[in-house]
Amino acid sequence: MITPAQLRAARALLGIDQRRLAELASLSVPTIQRMEASDGVIRGNVDSLMKLVAALDEAGLELIGDGAMSDGGGRGVRLKAAPSTGPATPDETDGSA
């Protein structure tokens, strides 16, 4: 699901510390610390992991799992692209149809 390295990278991309991530995910700071100290994939109860992943998603991060489409391969984390609105139609630009 998510590795400690991904979690640290996510915090770095967002420019936040463990305390702020704990607030965003409605978790305690010791829980975030334990997650970051895990070996391999983060250990924790399902509810805590879901809160963490949801908070990162809401903050605009995408978790990249093993085997996902990525130029470099492997796990990672990246900022989500801003949603594209597409080209403007004539009635959106000048009011004509």
Side-chain angles (χ1 to χ4, degrees):
M1 181 182 239
I2 180 174
T3 66
Q6 282 178 297
L7 182 52
R8 289 187 296 272
R11 285 194 308 104
L13 276 173
L14 294 173
I16 60 176
D17 60 11
Q18 290 176 333
R19 180 174 305 282
R20 181 65 183 135
L21 179 57
E23 291 170 359
L24 292 173
S26 299
L27 298 170
S28 68
V29 173
T31 296
I32 299 296
Q33 292 170 334
R34 277 192 304 275
M35 288 177 168
E36 287 192 2
S38 297
D39 289 327
V41 176
I42 288 180
R43 295 184 316 263
N45 69 49
V46 174
D47 184 52
S48 295
L49 291 170
M50 296 305 292
K51 286 181 179 181
L52 176 67
V53 170
L56 294 174
D57 181 64
E58 189 170 320
L61 290 178
E62 177 182 0
L63 298 173
I64 304 165
D66 283 336
M69 289 288 283
S70 177
D71 291 335
R75 292 182 175 268
V77 60
R78 63 180 158 222
L79 294 171
K80 291 182 184 178
S84 174
T85 57
T89 59
D91 58 321
E92 290 176 324
T93 56
D94 65 3
S96 64

